[in-house]
Amino acid sequence: MPEFTTIEQMEEVTAKLKERAVAAGAETWEDRTKTQTPHCKFGEDGICCKNCSMGPCRISPKGQRGICGADAHAIAGRNYLRSIAAGTASHSDHAREILHVLHSTRRDGPYQVRDEAKLLRLAAEYGVKTEGRDIYDVAHEVAEVGLMEFGKPEGYQIFTKRAPKERQDLWAKEGIMPRAIDREIATSLHMTHMGNTADAEALVRQGLRTGLSNGWGGSMIGTEITDILFGTPIERKTEGNLGVLERDMVNVVVHGHDPAFSEMVVTATEVKELQDLAKTKGAKGINVVGLCCTANEVSMRHGVRMAGNFLQQENVILTGVCDMMCVDVQCIFPALPKLADCFHTKFVTSSPIARIPGAIHVEFEVEKAFDQAKDLVKMAIDAYTKRDPNKVFIPDGKQSAIVGYPCEIIINKLDGVTNSHIDELGSYRPAVDAIKAGVLRGAVGIVGCNNPRVRPDYSHFEIMKELLKNDILIVATGCAAQLATKAGLNNKESKWVCGDGLRRVCDLVDIPPILHMGACVDISRILLLVAGIARDWGVNMTQLPIVGVAPEWMSEKAVSIANYVISSGIDVYLGIEPQVKGSSQMMELITQGTRKITGAGFVINTDPKQLVKSIIDGIEAKRTALGI
Ligand code: BF8
Ligand code: SF4
């Protein structure tokens, strides 16, 4: 029986690293959390407004309205919609960057098309002619059509056609069919400007539409184009946790979300000349590992090992063996350059979107990217020679994992069981049959971040174990997927924690009980998975015993994601309260009101044990309603 890495073991390591931080005179998120708590109650409840300079205004017993007359519902609703807009902008702008890389591809260029079949399928979907054309001409036109999804003056997101007809009709009827991505973001900012919408329901509806422009727009584009450029992931073995850092090697850590540059960094570390250079400096070689969603991306495509998730980013530097941390965009602590200064670590930013004082900035340029990456690896090799042996502490914990389960691989695995491949889309029927028969009770997508408001990774871990025990299959992305990796939950040996039914399915299909589907943009893969299951079952997405869970979410991207998931008819269980508590109307709207619009809503509970119970109850209620 293989052993998990428990949360207590992870906490022990963090405590030891914290001692190192104190010795090095470095500050970490634990220190800063202390200085920020208790949090400002007005902000926490979402009833502080600074949308104009008459304010800031806040709602209190003394003042039930801001100077302009906006009440708690308007203020909390506007703040909430602004979060969704920011989250949508982040995921989608990342997708836009990737589209520009696709637009720059050439046969002899630094970036090429790796998945031609996927490009051709997308070209057909986009109405781009392919016959007799050079694949790179097709790629460029596909990129242009994709870029138009951001600003086209008329029409809706093309990928909404991938959703079941029932959803498309509902979105049209409810007026939440997403238009151009930038338009939904701009409309959200416009609606929330001083003197515009004060009606909470209207704000929530625009939140649903803006979320949809992310899920069935920006994020889905990001996933598709990343697959075309760097290959659709396949099952790969990897490892996770701080033990993937190597004492005798040059450690280069890639961190962030957009894999365009980190792909080049990974390739650069494999160059023989650089490997040799590392050896002349006394290292055994170069070890590239990842953090956050960049780690998910490169691990699914190269098996690159994962040093950890969001709240582990400082721990990586505290080991004293991080020779370089190279970041791109999103979820990067601005605290890192100062922390790196306490060690020998070179901290490099690469995107104009994420500039941080104190960092070495090497702005990613498509044409020069490989040379830039090679220069950085040389810099990392040089830094290796400057390590302070007294500051080195590598916790030895790491776990093996299997990652890389996009829909294509899941279908392939199912196909291997029953040979039920019915058309080029494949079929989820074996999974449907297993759920109908009750061998599997249902499926849950566990996604999202860490958040100092709760014990890091504890909720992920407890909820995952309980669901597996109850024969509920898990698909995971983002930092939740990385917890599964660190803990040793997403490898085939971890089946012993599962109930009998799930264990049988895992054996038969030859999969781990937690399927790592990628980064947070790849939650678009989960949408397609659920849509595919609904299609093969012949029911609506809302009816399926499938739900989403974000036990430890923190980012605005997560708010956007939650909105496209409920718009898709899938209930979302949250372990952290959205910042709207100061408005009874907003609380009612997000937990109940959206159910009347999309058929789904939030269930919020900050106690992981109660949350997982409500998830299981929710799944069982869906089964009962289906008569299974
Ligand atoms: O996009 S899960 S902390 S790393 S926001 Fe960030 Fe949250 Fe992690 Fe990936 Ni997603
Ligand atoms: Fe105050 Fe209204 Fe201005 Fe907000 S928009 S800061 S509530 S006056």
Side-chain angles (χ1 to χ4, degrees):
M1 195 182 283
E3 296 224 335
F4 293 138
T5 303
T6 63
I7 298 300
E8 288 72 18
Q9 287 167 323
M10 292 180 204
E11 286 170 343
E12 243 168 68
V13 164
T14 299
K16 285 198 187 130
L17 287 165
K18 184 66 202 159
E19 285 166 22
R20 305 274 152 166
V22 173
E27 172 199 275
T28 62
W29 64 264
E30 291 93 336
D31 304 311
R32 294 186 298 272
T33 302
K34 282 187 197 133
T35 65
Q36 290 295 336
T37 44
H39 291 285
C40 165
K41 190 88 176 89
F42 297 102
E44 204 165 48
D45 289 352
I47 47 174
C48 169
C49 178
K50 51 184 188 60
N51 291 9
C52 87
S53 78
M54 292 192 282
C57 300
R58 55 196 198 177
I59 302 303
S60 68
K62 175 178 123 198
Q64 294 287 309
R65 287 179 183 268
I67 292 171
C68 65
D71 62 11
H73 315 302
I75 293 174
R78 294 193 306 210
N79 290 338
Y80 179 73
L81 179 54
R82 284 197 165 207
S83 292
I84 299 168
T88 301
S90 302
H91 271 154
S92 303
D93 206 38
H94 158 180
R96 179 176 5 223
E97 297 286 334
I98 290 281
L99 278 163
H100 282 292
V101 175
L102 181 67
H103 201 249
S104 75
T105 51
R106 344 178 267 278
R107 193 158 278 110
D108 61 347
Y111 291 91
Q112 288 136 10
V113 170
R114 295 251 177 87
D115 191 336
E116 289 192 11
K118 193 164 243 185
L119 173 66
L120 293 175
R121 280 202 299 278
L122 183 56
E125 199 173 348
Y126 274 0
V128 170
K129 289 209 175 64
T130 54
E131 229 180 270
R133 289 183 79 185
D134 184 277
I135 194 80
Y136 283 91
D137 287 341
V138 175
H140 300 158
E141 200 179 328
V142 162
E144 282 159 18
V145 177
L147 286 164
M148 283 304 289
E149 289 295 273
F150 288 79
K152 60 187 181 188
E154 300 291 340
Y156 301 102
Q157 286 301 298
I158 297 172
F159 285 155
T160 55
K161 296 216 167 63
R162 292 178 170 192
K165 174 111 183 7
E166 177 268 344
R167 279 293 108 181
Q168 295 182 44
D169 292 347
L170 179 128
W171 295 335
K173 180 172 103 352
E174 295 292 342
I176 57 169
M177 185 65 100
R179 303 163 297 178
I181 300 158
D182 289 352
R183 182 168 186 189
E184 298 306 357
I185 296 164
T187 296
S188 300
L189 293 180
H190 188 182
M191 282 175 77
T192 55
H193 185 274
M194 190 271 148
N196 285 324
T197 298
D199 177 70
E201 184 179 331
L203 295 163
V204 166
R205 281 179 179 272
Q206 177 59 17
L208 296 172
R209 181 158 63 167
T210 308
L212 280 170
S213 77
N214 177 7
W216 297 87
S219 279
M220 203 170 277
I221 296 171
T223 296
E224 290 281 324
I225 305 301
T226 307
D227 284 355
I228 289 168
L229 276 172
F230 304 118
T232 301
I234 54 169
E235 278 181 307
R236 276 180 208 281
K237 283 207 171 115
T238 188
E239 290 178 329
N241 214 352
L242 293 167
V244 302
L245 292 161
E246 300 288 348
R247 183 178 297 269
D248 302 329
M249 297 177 87
V250 177
N251 291 305
V252 178
V253 180
V254 289
H255 175 17
H257 287 76
D258 176 346
F261 193 38
S262 48
E263 281 276 336
M264 281 298 176
V265 174
V266 173
T267 312
T269 58
E270 288 157 3
V271 171
K272 181 161 183 315
E273 173 206 331
L274 292 173
Q275 289 278 354
D276 289 347
L277 180 64
K279 284 175 193 153
T280 65
K281 306 286 179 184
K284 285 194 179 139
I286 308 165
N287 177 39
V288 58
V289 300
L291 266 172
C292 286
C293 284
T294 288
N296 287 321
E297 299 272 8
V298 290
S299 118
M300 291 200 302
R301 296 193 178 85
H302 302 277
V304 166
R305 299 180 299 166
M306 301 185 222
N309 51 359
F310 181 60
L311 282 182
Q312 200 139 300
Q313 53 187 296
E314 289 175 314
N315 284 355
V316 168
I317 294 178
L318 291 172
T319 61
V321 294
C322 173
D323 301 305
M324 172 173 285
M325 186 178 283
C326 179
V327 306
D328 48 83
V329 293
Q330 299 169 17
C331 301
I332 301 148
F333 278 0
L336 294 178
K338 196 152 170 271
L339 181 62
D341 276 349
C342 298
F343 292 82
H344 72 295
T345 307
K346 297 283 179 203
F347 183 83
V348 181
T349 51
S350 63
S351 165
I353 303 292
R355 295 292 309 261
I356 305 175
I360 301 163
H361 186 66
V362 177
E363 198 151 307
F364 165 65
E365 284 179 58
V366 167
E367 289 301 326
K368 293 191 196 152
F370 191 47
D371 289 333
Q372 290 177 315
K374 283 196 290 191
D375 287 346
L376 288 180
V377 173
K378 279 186 206 150
M379 199 191 289
I381 294 170
D382 185 53
Y384 170 82
T385 65
K386 306 203 166 83
R387 271 190 206 169
D388 178 349
N390 295 320
K391 287 186 176 169
V392 170
F393 169 64
I394 310 181
D396 50 12
K398 63 179 176 193
Q399 287 280 0
S400 68
I402 302 185
V403 298
Y405 291 95
C407 297
E408 292 88 337
I409 296 291
I410 295 176
I411 284 191
N412 226 311
K413 298 297 277 186
L414 293 172
D415 200 29
V417 180
T418 58
N419 218 10
S420 63
H421 211 82
I422 44 167
D423 54 32
E424 82 278 6
L425 289 170
S427 168
Y428 295 103
R429 274 184 207 159
V432 171
D433 291 342
I435 298 176
K436 277 188 188 165
V439 183
L440 284 184
R441 304 306 292 175
V444 168
I446 304 192
V447 305
C449 326
N450 302 127
N451 189 326
R453 283 175 180 275
V454 294
R455 206 174 149 189
D457 286 325
Y458 176 76
S459 304
H460 286 145
F461 199 47
E462 290 302 309
I463 291 172
M464 283 175 181
K465 279 190 305 185
E466 193 61 20
L467 293 177
L468 297 182
K469 205 169 84 190
N470 282 278
D471 292 323
I472 293 167
L473 180 80
I474 296 174
V475 295
T477 62
C479 289
Q482 289 181 318
L483 173 273
T485 306
K486 285 197 292 182
L489 282 167
N490 56 354
N491 59 50
K492 290 176 188 167
E493 290 73 46
S494 68
K495 287 186 304 249
W496 64 270
V497 76
C498 305
D500 289 346
L502 177 56
R503 195 174 323 123
R504 279 214 305 282
V505 171
C506 290
D507 276 337
L508 201 64
V509 189
D510 189 29
I511 48 169
I514 298 182
L515 301 177
H516 182 297
M517 291 189 82
C520 291
V521 284
D522 294 327
I523 297 171
S524 62
R525 299 190 200 272
I526 302 182
L527 289 181
L528 294 176
L529 175 70
V530 182
I533 292 175
R535 176 199 66 210
D536 291 341
W537 193 317
V539 297
N540 295 334
M541 285 170 84
T542 26
Q543 292 174 279
L544 294 171
I546 298 179
V547 304
V549 190
E552 303 182 25
W553 71 275
M554 62 86 204
S555 84
E556 291 170 314
K557 288 180 285 175
V559 191
S560 173
I561 293 165
N563 270 274
Y564 71 65
V565 175
I566 56 173
S567 298
S568 303
I570 304 162
D571 286 332
V572 174
Y573 291 73
L574 300 174
I576 304 279
E577 292 166 320
Q579 292 171 344
V580 299
K581 258 192 316 181
S583 158
S584 53
Q585 275 183 28
M586 280 302 295
M587 283 305 283
E588 200 279 333
L589 276 162
I590 61 173
T591 54
Q592 299 304 326
T594 58
R595 292 176 196 277
K596 290 175 215 130
I597 306 169
T598 72
F602 295 155
V603 177
I604 306 164
N605 199 318
T606 53
D607 177 342
K609 294 217 158 70
Q610 289 174 18
L611 188 65
V612 73
K613 188 178 176 307
S614 62
I615 294 166
I616 296 168
D617 290 348
I619 282 178
E620 291 301 327
K622 296 259 182 194
R623 292 186 64 92
T624 308
L626 277 165
I628 55 171

